[in-house]
Amino acid sequence: MPEVGYDALVAHLVVPERMEYFHRWIYDPKVLIWSLGPLNGNWVFTLPYIVTTSETVIRITNLGFLAVICFLVRDLMLSFNKTSREYLIAILLLLTTPLTLLESSTLFTDLIWTAYSVAGACALFKILLDESTCRKTWIYLIGIFLGMSCGWVS
């Protein structure tokens, strides 16, 4: 089913459509104001769209990031010594919220930056909860993930 949301089509398919059409990113703010904003989510959508020119693949990419978020929630719950039943309940609560259902069925980029934010939080909690972890590696990961999550316009 094609996307019907104006924002998702206009804002989040601009970069993939133009890259597929021109075979390069035309950075000209006079022509396209989107050139000036942070486009991290749109860049994530670009490669699958160029390869297949299909909105369906972008939706599958969104579902992949939802799966990553579920894995990170599981990992975070296990860091707090929770049982498998408790982390399954947390994942099911996440998956059944109306916002998750809306975001996973559209072309919005919110699941991508959420995955980066949750990954940064998980890395932060790994340092705080486990003294045996190599702090330097985890601090780099925290910086990378939280830095990536800051570069989004949704």
Side-chain angles (χ1 to χ4, degrees):
M1 188 164 174
E3 180 67 45
V4 294
Y6 177 78
D7 180 56
L9 286 173
V10 171
H12 303 302
L13 274 183
V14 166
V15 174
E17 290 265 339
R18 291 181 69 84
M19 289 285 290
E20 196 268 328
Y21 184 77
F22 293 110
H23 303 292
R24 63 189 169 100
W25 176 239
I26 299 179
Y27 182 81
D28 189 4
K30 294 177 198 163
V31 175
L32 193 63
I33 195 68
W34 296 110
S35 308
L36 299 174
L39 300 169
N40 292 351
N42 299 339
W43 290 117
V44 171
F45 285 165
T46 299
L47 184 62
Y49 188 81
I50 287 175
V51 171
T52 62
T53 63
S54 171
E55 288 181 24
T56 307
V57 173
I58 294 177
R59 291 175 197 270
I60 293 170
T61 304
N62 244 357
L63 285 175
F65 276 96
L66 182 61
V68 167
I69 292 168
C70 290
F71 177 77
L72 290 169
V73 167
R74 174 195 165 274
D75 191 41
L76 191 61
M77 293 293 285
L78 290 177
S79 296
F80 289 114
N81 296 323
K82 300 298 181 185
T83 64
S84 63
R85 181 177 180 203
E86 291 168 334
Y87 77 72
L88 284 175
I89 290 172
I91 290 172
L92 287 175
L93 283 174
L94 171 72
L95 291 176
T96 56
T97 58
L99 184 61
T100 303
L101 295 173
L102 171 73
E103 292 294 330
S104 63
S105 63
T106 63
L107 299 178
F108 293 126
T109 59
D110 297 331
L111 288 175
I112 300 169
W113 68 263
T114 302
Y116 284 119
S117 299
V118 173
C122 282
L124 180 65
F125 281 119
K126 290 257 187 217
I127 287 178
L128 295 175
L129 296 174
D130 189 10
E131 294 295 326
S132 65
T133 58
C134 179
R135 288 184 180 269
K136 191 173 184 180
T137 305
W138 286 103
I139 288 175
Y140 289 140
L141 286 175
I142 291 169
I144 289 170
F145 287 135
L146 294 181
M148 287 295 292
S149 70
C150 290
W152 303 97
V153 175
S154 57

